[in-house]
Amino acid sequence: MSAVSSRLPVFPWDKLEPYKATAAAHPDGIVDLSVGTPVDPVPPLIQQALIGAANSPGYPTVWGTAELRDALTGWVERRLGARGVSHTNVLPVVGSKELVAWLPTQLGLGAGDRVAYPLLAYPTYEVGARLCGAEPVPYDDPTELDPAGLKLLWLNSPSNPTGRVLSKDELTRIVAWAREHGVLLFSDECYLELGWETEPVSVLHPDVCGGTYEGVVAVHSLSKRSNLAGYRAAFLAGDPAVLGELLKIRKHGGMMVPAPVQAATVAALGDDTHVQEQRERYAARRTALRAALETHGFRVDHSEASLYLWSTRDEPCWDTVAHLAGLGILVAPGDFYGTAGERHVRVALTATDERIDAAVKRLT
C-alpha cells in the first residue's frame, strides 16, 4: 500500500506548537491570532433555522433543496452582480476546504497535468494538486505561465494570507487569458464580503466574464461572513457544464451538505444585517490591531481586505513569531503560505474584543 500522505508537505501548523506553548505561558494568557477561526456567536436566526430543520431523518441531496438553490442563485445575482443565474449555475459543497483539496481529483487530473495557484497562497491549493499526482505551479502573474498542460488555474481575491484584492481590470485580463488557452479558472472568493480599503469584485460580474460563465467558477463560503466555520457551508457558482460534471461525481461520492445546514444556509444568505454587524466587529478590531502593530515597529502590507494583517519587521518570519510569542501573542509565519512570505507574519482579526484589547496593550 502506497502512502498518499507521502506526496504531501508536512502539516505546517504542527511546527507552531512550541511557540503556542510559549505564548500560553504569558501571565494574562495567550492571544491566538494564528489560525483565523471565527469566535463570535452564530447569528440567532441561523441557529433557529438549523434547529427548525433538526428533524431530518432522510438523506439530503447533493444538489441541495430547491429552496437552497433559490437562495444561492438569488445571492449570486444580488451580491455579485451576476446575471441570468439558474439552478444549473450553483452547487453546494461541504465547506470550501474540502472542495479545494479534492477538486483536481474530481476533475480527473493526474500525472502530466499542472495546477497553478498564487505564489503566496492558502496551502490547500498545492495539497489538491499533490493528492491527484498533478504538478503544483505557483505563479506571480498567471498570464505569464506556459499554458501547456495547465488544466486548472486558481485565483484568490481577496487573498489569504495577504489581503490583496485583484482589480476588475486584472480579473478581466486573466479570465480572457484563461479562456484563450482553454484553462479552467476557479476563483476563491471566500473573503469577498470583507473588503476594507477597496470593494472586491467577483469573476462572475458581467464586466469581468462578459456575461458568460464558460470556463469560470467562483467559490464562496459562509464560514467568515456568518461565523459558520463549524457548519461547513459553502458553494460554487459559474459554468454549468463544470458544475454538472462535479454534481454527477459528488452524487457517487455521497458528498452531501447536511439538511439542517442547508436550511441554515438559506437563512444566512437571506439576511444582510448580521453580515454588516460582523463586518463592524472586524473593522473595529482591525483598526485597533493595525495601529498597535505599527506602533510596535511593524509595516502592514496589502491587507486591503480579508481577516488578516500581512505584517513584517523586515526579519525572518520565525524570529517575528518568537518575538510575539514572548508577548503572549501567537501569529502564523508567512512561509506557511510560500517562500515569498518568509519575512512576513499573518495576524488574524479573529479573536474576541477582550483578547484583541489584550494584544493591543502588549504591543503598545
Side-chain angles (χ1 to χ4, degrees):
M1 174 179 167
S2 63
V4 175
S5 63
S6 65
R7 304 176 192 167
L8 307 179
V10 175
F11 189 64
W13 294 99
D14 292 344
K15 297 164 62 177
L16 203 56
E17 285 302 315
Y19 301 91
K20 185 175 184 178
T22 298
H26 190 279
D28 186 40
I30 188 173
V31 179
D32 192 342
L33 307 178
S34 61
V35 177
T37 187
V39 298
D40 299 303
V42 173
L45 86 160
I46 301 176
Q47 293 189 46
Q48 289 304 314
L50 186 83
I51 293 167
N55 185 22
S56 297
Y59 291 112
T61 64
V62 173
W63 202 16
T65 63
E67 292 79 10
L68 174 60
R69 283 178 264 136
D70 283 343
L72 297 178
T73 57
W75 185 87
V76 167
E77 291 192 338
R78 175 171 56 85
R79 182 61 183 84
L80 305 184
R83 297 174 186 163
V85 181
S86 70
H87 284 194
T88 59
N89 295 113
V90 295
L91 179 66
V93 295
V94 192
S96 58
K97 183 169 186 175
E98 166 263 303
L99 182 279
V100 173
W102 293 106
L103 177 65
T105 298
Q106 291 175 25
L107 292 173
L109 305 189
D113 297 324
R114 301 162 72 224
V115 175
Y117 52 88
L119 203 59
L120 280 167
Y122 182 49
T124 311
Y125 303 130
E126 177 186 355
V127 167
R130 292 189 180 281
L131 279 171
C132 74
E135 178 189 352
V137 182
Y139 65 78
D140 186 29
D141 179 346
T143 65
E144 295 178 355
L145 291 169
D146 179 355
L150 183 60
K151 298 298 179 64
L152 174 62
L153 170 63
W154 278 108
L155 300 185
N156 179 209
S157 176
S159 163
N160 173 16
T162 69
R164 182 188 170 207
V165 174
L166 295 174
S167 70
K168 185 182 290 186
D169 288 345
E170 287 177 293
L171 289 170
T172 303
R173 176 175 60 86
I174 295 167
V175 167
W177 180 89
R179 284 175 169 165
E180 178 186 354
H181 296 286
V183 178
L184 178 60
L185 186 153
F186 266 66
S187 180
D188 181 346
E189 303 175 351
C190 290
Y191 294 91
L192 183 135
E193 299 219 70
L194 294 164
W196 309 115
E197 297 162 10
T198 188
E199 182 64 29
V201 179
S202 172
V203 292
L204 302 185
H205 192 284
D207 290 350
V208 174
C209 68
T212 171
Y213 306 121
E214 181 183 357
V216 175
V217 178
V219 182
H220 283 271
S221 168
L222 281 73
S223 292
K224 305 303 195 297
R225 73 183 295 278
S226 300
N227 299 331
L228 295 188
Y231 283 47
R232 310 316 300 135
F235 64 93
L236 307 178
D239 190 329
V242 175
L243 299 191
E245 177 67 13
L246 291 176
L247 176 59
K248 293 176 183 177
I249 294 164
R250 294 171 71 86
K251 282 180 178 179
H252 283 289
M255 305 179 87
M256 301 172 281
V257 176
V261 174
Q262 293 189 30
T265 300
V266 172
L269 293 178
D271 177 73
D272 293 332
T273 301
H274 78 276
V275 179
Q276 183 57 35
E277 290 173 349
Q278 189 60 45
R279 275 182 54 87
E280 290 170 0
R281 292 187 190 105
Y282 284 134
R285 293 167 186 167
R286 179 179 183 272
T287 298
L289 195 55
R290 179 168 191 156
L293 286 166
E294 290 174 342
T295 297
H296 199 74
F298 281 87
R299 185 183 74 247
V300 176
D301 293 332
H302 302 301
S303 305
E304 59 262 30
S306 83
L307 288 181
Y308 311 105
L309 294 170
W310 188 238
S311 308
T312 181
R313 298 204 308 170
D314 289 316
E315 65 183 4
C317 61
W318 286 98
D319 291 352
T320 308
V321 170
H323 170 73
L324 290 174
L327 298 176
I329 301 169
L330 189 67
V331 298
D335 65 3
F336 276 12
Y337 308 96
T339 55
E342 60 190 8
R343 296 183 75 83
H344 283 75
V345 294
R346 194 193 74 170
V347 184
L349 308 177
T350 49
T352 63
D353 291 343
E354 183 274 331
R355 287 290 84 189
I356 293 290
D357 289 344
V360 167
K361 290 174 183 175
R362 297 175 197 181
L363 290 167
T364 55

